[in-house]
Structures are given as C-alpha cells and as structure tokens.
Amino acid sequence: MLIVEEKKEFTLRGKKITICKDDVLKILSKYKEESYPQKGQTSNYYLVLEGKLIPIKKALLFVLEDLGHDFTILDFVTHDAVRIFRALGFPIVVGKGNKNLLKSFIGSLSLQGNAIEDKKNIYE
C-alpha cells in the first residue's frame, strides 16, 4: 500500500504555501552549503537531515525557492522556519554559541562573577 504524505498549508508573510515532508526531503537532498555561503551571523538552529545539520532559515529558503515562491531570507524569521519544519515532523537542534564571539565580551560582562578574573583565566 502506497502512503501519500498529506500536504500542509502554512501562511508566511501573508502568502499561503503548501508543502509536505516528501517535498522537503526531495528538495533538500540537492542542498549544498556552498550554494548558500555563510555570511554574517552563524545559525543557532539546524534542521537535521540524513545526519547533516542544515541552517534552518537557509533550508526553508532553499525549499521555498525550489517550489517557486518569491521570498528572501529576510522575509521570515527563525521561528517561522522552526514552526514549519516541526509541523512537518523534522527534528530541529539548537547549536552551541560561538566561543570567539563570547571572548570579544570578556571584561565587559562577568562569566563567573568576576570579569577581571575571568579575563585572566581565559587568556592564561
């Protein structure tokens, strides 16, 4: 017996999009990170697909473009991507913070109660 995945309808920026899990699997099987190079802030939320972590907003943009929708990555927020992919049954993981970014704040915030001591400990 063939099971056909039910399409689900979502509203994104006032536009209706219809998508199913099979659509996402087929489309993201073609995803290559170099087609969407990392610029600016790194992602903290990832879609898990076949053992790969794909930045969640980039994954949604890739799917939307393939389906013929006219969106940019600025047209939706991470919450939209998480909501859509979770509703379709995909696992989402939260990445760890950027250690180098944290180091840039040493001395201006306290990691363990004493910013000056924290700065000495990190640079020793």
Side-chain angles (χ1 to χ4, degrees):
M1 183 167 120
L2 180 64
I3 298 174
V4 177
E5 183 75 27
E6 179 184 332
K7 293 208 177 249
K8 295 187 179 190
E9 188 174 275
F10 301 96
T11 302
L12 193 59
R13 300 289 277 187
K15 296 180 183 176
K16 300 280 186 197
I17 59 169
T18 304
I19 191 168
C20 72
K21 190 171 186 171
D22 288 340
D23 291 337
V24 174
L25 291 170
K26 287 176 194 167
I27 294 166
L28 289 182
S29 69
K30 302 179 281 187
Y31 178 88
K32 301 262 187 288
E33 182 61 33
E34 50 273 8
S35 63
Y36 286 84
Q38 189 68 38
K39 292 182 180 176
Q41 183 180 356
T42 58
S43 178
N44 286 333
Y45 291 85
Y46 298 89
L47 174 72
V48 180
L49 187 65
E50 297 172 357
K52 290 190 306 186
L53 297 176
I54 303 174
I56 196 160
K57 283 185 70 176
K58 289 181 183 180
L60 183 57
L61 180 62
F62 194 78
V63 169
L64 292 171
E65 285 178 347
D66 197 83
L67 292 173
H69 295 285
D70 186 28
F71 286 98
T72 70
I73 203 157
L74 298 176
D75 288 330
F76 54 90
V77 295
T78 303
H79 172 78
D80 295 320
V82 169
R83 173 179 54 89
I84 290 169
F85 287 128
R86 277 198 178 141
L88 293 170
F90 287 98
I92 308 297
V93 296
V94 180
K96 299 290 182 207
N98 185 335
K99 196 184 289 185
N100 290 330
L101 178 63
L102 285 176
K103 283 184 178 179
S104 71
F105 288 105
I106 293 174
S108 62
L109 61 90
S110 175
L111 300 175
Q112 294 294 324
N114 186 329
I116 295 170
E117 287 300 315
D118 291 337
K119 183 175 181 177
K120 286 180 189 175
N121 291 336
I122 287 180
Y123 286 107
E124 287 180 352

